[in-house]
Amino acid sequence: MARRRFSVTRFPGFAPIALTAFVLLYAPIIIIVIYSFNASDSVALWGGFSLKWYVAAWGNEAVQDATLRSLVIASVAACVSTIVATMAAIATTRRSRFRGQTFIYVMINQPLMVPEIVTAVALLIFFAAIRVATGYQGLGYLILAHSAFCIPFAYLPIRARLEGMDLSLETAAADLYATPWMTFRRITLPLLAPGIAAGAMLAFVISLDTVVITEFIKSAGQDTLPTYMLGQLRRAITPEVNAIATALLALTVLLLTAFFLLTRRRG
Amino acid sequence: MAAPPRSPARTSWLLSTPALLLLIFGAAGPLLIVLVYAFLEPGEYSGVVWQFTTEAWFRVFFERDIFDGTVSPADAHLTIFWRSLELSVLTTLTTFVIGLPMAWFIATRPANQRAIWLFLITIPFWTNLLIRTFAIMEVIRNQGILNSLLIRLGVISDPIQILYTETAVLIGMAYVYLPLMVLPLFAAIDRFDFRLLEAGYDLYASRWQVLRRIVLPIVRPGIVAGSILVFVPSLGAYVTPRILGGGKNMMIGNFIELQFGQGRNWPLGAALSLILLAIVLIALLIYVRVTTREDSRHG
Amino acid sequence: MDDQPAIRIADARKLYGSGEAAVRALDGVSLDILNGEFFTLLGPSGCGKTTLLRLIAGFETPTEGRIHIAGADVSDDPPNRRPVNTVFQSYALFPHMSVRRNIAFGLEMLGRQRGEIAETVERMIALVQLSDMAERTPTQLSGGQQQRVALARALAPKPKVLLLDEPLSALDLKLRKEMQLELKRLQHETGITFVFVTHDQEEALTMSDRIGVMRGGRLLQVGSPREIYNHPADRFVADFIGETNFLSARVEAEAVVLQNGARVPLASTRTPGSMVTLAVRPEQVQLRPDGPIAATVRQVVYSGTDTHCYAALSDGTQIVARLQNPPSGEVGLQAGEAIRIGFAEDAVQMLDD
């Protein structure tokens, strides 16, 4: 047997550990996906391929309700957070440094630093007071909380895109008689578009994922898909949950693939 | 002297205002209310009575006997704190031991494959935490795939009880937070100059010595970043211990939730939240100090 | 009004920061740039030349002073209202637009008629010889081609003045030489005033009608390339433009005396006894038996057309002579050889200390 060439970047055991870890990372998810197509009523036994749990989930009014609510909240939160994050990103990268910039930066990233449970508690208390004062019970609380929580996730890819953009492009536009608004519309915005799309997708995915905050501040009957699943997990698990999880998973992977392609093709 | 028509700082503030307003009303501002509530008396069913007291803080660490009023340490609370810290530290260590080889493996792939491996680690990162926790639960349940497999192989005759133990919480948290360790480690290793390894071997270092004396010190900022990113959410974890730990293996997050649910002690919940926040902020401060010092050292 | 200067800068100052820590990027610059000339701002990095250019373009506002373009005070106008266009160092081509769209951008912003825009753009594309590339995007072009697009884009709106911020610095030597000629041609064909910023003295000497040498936020000398090269105003200009030997000397009647005691016959109006610095270009240093200065050859370096002879005077002062190589290729000098040096009287520039 020929001796293996000495490779400086190789450490014994690293590659096997890494590959095993990758397998273990995906195995549980793949098992869920497989069992969501299981015809058997038992979660443990394989009874042949079937779409019956998808049909059951689709026919379940509570699931329909939660799905619709999740999508509405995620859409609105993604739009709102992306718009305000775009404005803030332009303010914090496209202009000269100004007093208070660090404050804005810390504020924007604050949802990433504070544990979700603490934010959830704070919002629970705050919104409880507003509920008492106004009597309003609608979706507004969830939308406000999700919008705020998604801002840093929308902000990061937009800011990264802006930082990779040559500042002299806008200077050149101004030199060529473009007004500030025209410069934004014709130069900054088209070049920023992939970053904005990426930011919106991340915000959407994050809103779909948010469990703790939603669980704490939702009014009665305002389950989203994740809180519905959390509620189901407390009882006996049905393969229906597998089907919902798989559908949600598929949506996430789809969006992430789009995000991946958007951010990779740059320049 | 000509002043520009609009001050750039004012425009910047105007552009940032919508984001700031959302964040103040939807995230940061209410934290101040938590601070106030931590110094009030609990209401009878929920909420608070507007009466200043430090009782909530006292209750965090001590308990008073209902009959004779003697004070003793609140053992149950301290157990929860200790468990949270212990599990968070163990989670951080576990993810590091597994994450370092993974990050190294990704960073040493040929350039055209690297993006794909990186994508494979990002997918679980962005996938719903609830789904991933649920997936782990499916694996380690008594009738789950792991026990079924072991029984069929004849290794064990009766299922091992993993679910609803501390071990289950540890496995779950390590599983869900692993990508948070791998990504910053990868970022650090990706910048690593592999010619340094050649220099190390040229100067008679063994594999182990190269790893310990050259690689680890240089990728230290990545190690610190990964550890913070794993430690912070582990300490505040709520979903994973709730699903995998059951009622017996509560962590701080679940204990806080209890105060706003059955416990009906909002001030105690507020105080606990602030303690959790304080620990997290201290960890972040350490991180900032370590990384800025690292930056200034390397220019 | 053709007798108006294209640009008049009156006592422009630019401070960054304030108080003690303020950086004086421009420290009182006054300058007239004439209509139709190729004017170069030359100086080392940080001398303020780019700041001055950005002040003219309107990307920076002066802390003090006024700027006039074609007779009109534009000091308070934003860049999009100034009749000047810039060729950026990084080119700053819009990556999401084709070559054609890039060139049309300025005209569109000025609200020109569609037909006029199309016609001008075609003319510009032809002018910079990019007819085959019109539909490509900037990333599909080479550095030299991008450079041409940047030029065409800035020339298309027919600015009163074209500002060029070190536009050739990213090109390799051969391409740079080509583009230097190209720029001269374009300036000649369009008749537009060019203000060119560079730190490359050779480039400045080759291309300019006039040069302004800058240092530390000040203009040290303004003049034609010949004036600047042959009669530098001070030691910095002499040193920065081309190679120069500096020799300290004391003035006497009808002569100067070097530090090693050598007497060099040289008429001067300065008072005897004052100290001066003699600046002599290496190509003006003559090796001749009757030269007044004794020196020892240290090193002889052959470089194709010339041979550089590095020598030292008895007090250690270094002096370099550039000797044209004879057809044989041998100047016949050896390290260690004793030589005598002299120079023509009009080849010496006498600078005050």
Side-chain angles (χ1 to χ4, degrees):
Chain A
M1 206 176 92
R3 266 196 60 160
R4 186 136 41 136
R5 203 175 62 83
F6 185 89
S7 160
V8 288
T9 56
R10 211 178 70 86
F11 287 110
F14 269 31
I17 294 176
L19 289 170
T20 312
F22 269 111
V23 170
L24 290 180
L25 203 55
Y26 277 90
I29 301 177
I30 291 169
I31 289 168
I32 283 207
V33 173
I34 291 172
Y35 272 88
S36 73
F37 296 106
N38 188 2
S40 154
D41 277 9
S42 151
V43 235
L45 294 170
W46 180 251
F49 180 87
S50 155
L51 286 176
K52 75 178 198 189
W53 300 115
Y54 288 90
V55 177
W58 188 246
N60 183 335
E61 222 168 279
V63 175
Q64 278 180 17
D65 217 38
T67 307
L68 189 65
R69 195 172 292 110
S70 270
L71 290 178
V72 167
I73 294 172
S75 308
V76 178
C79 281
V80 172
S81 60
T82 306
I83 291 169
V84 300
T86 305
M87 290 164 68
I90 288 171
T92 48
T93 55
R94 272 350 231 182
R95 325 188 121 255
S96 47
R97 284 195 62 84
F98 57 96
R99 195 182 287 269
Q101 194 165 342
T102 314
F103 168 75
I104 293 177
Y105 194 68
V106 169
M107 277 299 285
I108 286 173
N109 286 295
Q110 173 265 337
L112 297 179
M113 298 185 283
V114 175
E116 205 180 332
I117 182 94
V118 176
T119 307
V121 163
L123 289 173
L124 168 74
I125 295 175
F126 179 51
F127 290 159
I130 295 181
R131 277 196 176 95
V132 170
T134 64
Y136 175 70
Q137 296 284 346
L139 269 189
Y141 301 113
L142 284 173
I143 288 176
L144 171 61
H146 279 230
S147 299
F149 191 71
C150 290
I151 287 175
F153 296 94
Y155 176 80
L156 286 174
I158 298 172
R159 182 188 154 100
R161 179 93 191 167
L162 278 168
E163 277 179 343
M165 238 162 86
D166 190 353
L167 201 61
S168 64
L169 292 176
E170 278 114 327
T171 315
D175 184 59
L176 293 163
Y177 314 107
T179 58
W181 169 245
M182 274 312 245
T183 304
F184 176 73
R185 217 175 61 96
R186 296 281 300 268
I187 307 299
T188 316
L189 197 57
L191 288 172
L192 193 53
I196 294 177
M201 275 173 206
L202 281 195
F204 191 83
V205 169
I206 290 296
S207 171
L208 274 189
D209 282 6
T210 304
V211 196
V212 183
I213 289 179
T214 316
E215 175 79 1
F216 270 63
I217 64 175
K218 70 185 162 74
S219 306
Q222 278 187 346
D223 264 322
T224 61
L225 218 39
T227 60
Y228 173 79
M229 284 172 60
L230 189 63
Q232 290 299 299
L233 291 183
R234 251 184 286 205
R235 298 175 208 130
I237 306 161
T238 66
E240 205 180 291
V241 179
N242 283 337
I244 300 169
T246 304
L248 206 52
L249 199 67
L251 181 63
T252 308
V253 171
L254 205 71
L255 285 170
L256 285 177
T257 311
F259 169 81
F260 181 68
L261 293 175
L262 273 175
T263 46
R264 226 162 65 118
R265 256 189 298 127
R266 50 176 60 214
Chain B
M1 224 197 80
R6 248 186 314 178
S7 97
R10 220 185 69 188
T11 317
S12 299
W13 276 102
L14 277 177
L15 281 171
S16 310
T17 302
L20 290 179
L21 282 179
L22 267 179
L23 286 160
I24 286 169
F25 286 106
L31 291 177
L32 295 177
I33 308 178
V34 176
L35 185 63
V36 175
Y37 269 43
F39 290 96
L40 297 177
E41 279 184 8
E44 200 171 333
Y45 294 107
S46 74
V48 287
V49 174
W50 283 85
Q51 177 70 48
F52 176 83
T53 170
T54 51
E55 179 69 15
W57 296 94
F58 179 80
R59 285 278 307 271
V60 171
F61 301 103
F62 301 102
E63 54 194 4
R64 240 183 233 107
D65 194 286
I66 320 170
F67 301 107
D68 57 14
T70 49
V71 171
S72 57
D75 288 336
H77 297 187
L78 296 180
T79 309
I80 291 171
F81 285 148
W82 176 245
R83 182 187 297 128
S84 299
L85 272 176
E86 185 192 14
L87 283 175
S88 303
V89 170
L90 285 176
T91 303
T92 311
L93 285 176
T94 311
T95 52
F96 175 70
V97 170
I98 301 170
L100 182 70
M102 286 181 94
W104 188 267
F105 177 81
I106 300 172
T108 52
R109 288 311 91 196
N112 54 339
Q113 288 177 27
R114 213 174 304 156
I116 297 179
W117 286 103
L118 210 56
F119 185 52
L120 282 178
I121 202 84
T122 2
I123 287 193
F125 175 61
W126 291 111
T127 303
N128 200 320
L129 182 112
L130 186 65
I131 295 180
R132 285 184 291 150
T133 308
F134 170 58
I136 276 290
M137 178 179 162
E138 288 286 82
V139 172
I140 60 176
R141 245 153 24 89
N142 284 8
Q143 291 83 34
I145 205 105
L146 183 66
N147 274 316
S148 316
L149 201 69
L150 290 177
I151 290 172
R152 196 166 308 167
L153 289 176
V155 182
I156 49 172
S157 51
D158 293 308
I160 329 166
Q161 177 70 43
I162 307 174
L163 194 60
Y164 308 133
T165 64
E166 279 190 23
T167 314
V169 179
L170 176 61
I171 293 173
M173 292 208 299
Y175 177 68
V176 296
Y177 296 133
L178 181 62
L180 290 172
M181 178 63 87
V182 177
L183 290 173
L185 278 179
F186 167 78
I189 296 172
D190 196 37
R191 275 181 314 203
F192 182 79
D193 181 356
F194 288 112
R195 284 172 305 188
L196 295 178
L197 300 176
E198 292 172 2
Y201 288 122
D202 184 56
L203 295 166
Y204 318 111
S206 66
R207 296 251 185 220
W208 169 245
Q209 283 168 323
V210 162
L211 182 66
R212 212 174 61 85
R213 302 279 297 272
I214 301 173
V215 177
L216 291 184
I218 292 179
V219 302
R220 208 170 76 106
I223 299 175
V224 176
S227 303
I228 295 290
L229 283 181
V230 172
F231 181 79
V232 167
S234 299
L235 197 64
Y238 167 76
V239 172
T240 311
R242 172 170 156 181
I243 295 176
L244 300 177
K248 300 188 308 259
N249 299 293
M250 238 185 252
M251 287 178 64
I252 301 180
N254 312 91
F255 190 48
I256 291 173
E257 196 257 357
L258 193 67
Q259 305 314 316
F260 290 90
Q262 299 153 308
R264 287 177 188 151
N265 192 336
W266 286 27
L268 178 57
L272 288 166
S273 301
L274 290 174
I275 289 173
L276 176 59
L277 185 60
I279 299 174
V280 166
L281 290 182
I282 289 168
L284 287 174
L285 274 180
I286 293 171
Y287 167 66
V288 169
R289 286 196 62 157
V290 169
T291 46
T292 46
R293 201 174 36 200
E294 213 80 31
D295 281 350
S296 60
R297 195 184 305 159
H298 296 301
Chain C
M1 286 189 287
D2 261 13
D3 51 340
Q4 289 279 12
I7 293 176
R8 163 162 288 171
I9 295 153
D11 198 29
R13 285 166 204 277
K14 179 71 186 174
L15 269 70
Y16 290 109
S18 57
E20 290 289 298
V23 178
R24 290 167 185 276
L26 281 182
D27 199 4
V29 171
S30 294
L31 173 67
D32 279 3
I33 295 171
L34 308 179
N35 254 321
E37 78 174 331
F38 195 120
F39 190 92
T40 298
L41 289 167
L42 174 66
S45 62
C47 72
K49 56 189 194 299
T50 296
T51 306
L52 186 55
L53 197 79
R54 292 174 65 82
L55 233 54
I56 298 172
F59 307 139
E60 312 267 358
T61 42
T63 312
E64 268 176 62
R66 311 300 294 174
I67 292 160
H68 299 256
I69 297 174
D73 186 343
V74 296
S75 312
D76 299 329
D77 290 352
N80 51 317
R81 297 221 197 93
R82 296 191 188 199
V84 296
N85 290 122
T86 308
V87 177
F88 292 84
Q89 188 172 14
S90 61
Y91 313 145
L93 297 178
F94 305 130
H96 57 308
M97 296 181 187
S98 66
V99 167
R100 196 186 298 278
R101 297 284 314 283
N102 260 285
I103 298 174
F105 188 85
L107 297 163
E108 285 172 17
M109 292 299 121
L110 284 172
R112 294 283 155 78
Q113 297 292 316
R114 196 173 288 218
E116 186 196 334
I117 294 176
E119 189 195 317
T120 312
V121 169
E122 285 320 308
R123 200 152 33 80
M124 284 300 142
I125 289 175
L127 186 70
V128 295
Q129 297 152 9
L130 281 174
S131 303
D132 307 337
M133 316 274 174
E135 294 311 322
R136 297 205 187 167
T137 56
T139 44
Q140 297 169 307
L141 301 179
S142 71
Q145 289 163 344
Q146 292 185 18
Q147 171 75 79
R148 285 162 196 272
V149 179
L151 266 168
R153 187 179 71 175
L155 284 171
K158 272 220 167 109
K160 294 259 180 1
V161 180
L162 185 75
L163 307 173
L164 302 106
D165 184 9
E166 307 218 20
L168 307 181
S169 60
L171 305 178
D172 63 44
L173 187 67
K174 194 158 172 284
L175 206 52
R176 195 153 70 216
K177 296 278 182 213
E178 252 176 66
M179 283 307 294
Q180 288 175 3
L181 292 176
E182 179 88 5
L183 277 176
K184 280 301 274 183
R185 176 179 75 84
L186 285 172
Q187 201 241 344
H188 193 73
E189 280 179 29
T190 56
I192 291 174
T193 310
F194 276 36
V195 180
F196 187 88
V197 160
T198 184
H199 63 267
D200 182 337
Q201 41 103 7
E202 202 185 320
E203 199 167 272
L205 293 174
T206 321
M207 301 173 70
S208 322
D209 296 323
R210 285 199 304 154
I211 298 173
V213 184
M214 292 188 70
R215 183 203 192 186
R218 291 167 181 276
L219 259 180
L220 299 180
Q221 189 176 5
V222 178
S224 70
R226 239 172 264 279
E227 279 164 15
I228 299 235
Y229 189 78
N230 291 330
H231 304 289
D234 64 9
R235 190 179 171 134
F236 174 81
V237 178
D239 198 23
F240 191 72
I241 315 268
E243 263 185 297
T244 309
N245 293 300
F246 293 108
L247 301 167
S248 294
R250 196 180 68 245
V251 178
E252 286 187 1
E254 303 298 312
V256 293
V257 178
L258 300 188
Q259 273 178 328
N260 71 344
R263 243 181 104 82
V264 183
L266 207 60
S268 159
T269 54
R270 287 175 171 78
T271 42
S274 60
M275 295 301 294
V276 292
T277 297
L278 306 183
V280 189
R281 301 288 181 190
E283 66 270 22
Q284 304 292 352
V285 175
Q286 300 164 344
L287 269 58
R288 52 172 211 243
D290 63 337
I293 307 162
T296 311
V297 177
R298 291 274 189 240
Q299 208 174 7
V300 181
V301 179
Y302 174 79
S303 61
T305 54
D306 304 308
T307 294
H308 281 77
C309 169
Y310 297 87
L313 307 191
S314 56
D315 64 334
T317 307
Q318 299 283 335
I319 191 162
V320 54
R322 198 160 94 200
L323 311 166
Q324 204 170 11
N325 286 330
S328 69
E330 270 297 332
V331 291
L333 281 170
Q334 298 279 314
E337 200 177 324
I339 49 169
R340 294 200 75 82
I341 289 171
F343 15 74
E345 204 164 310
D346 57 359
V348 181
Q349 190 69 20
M350 210 183 278
L351 307 167
D352 290 313
D353 266 7

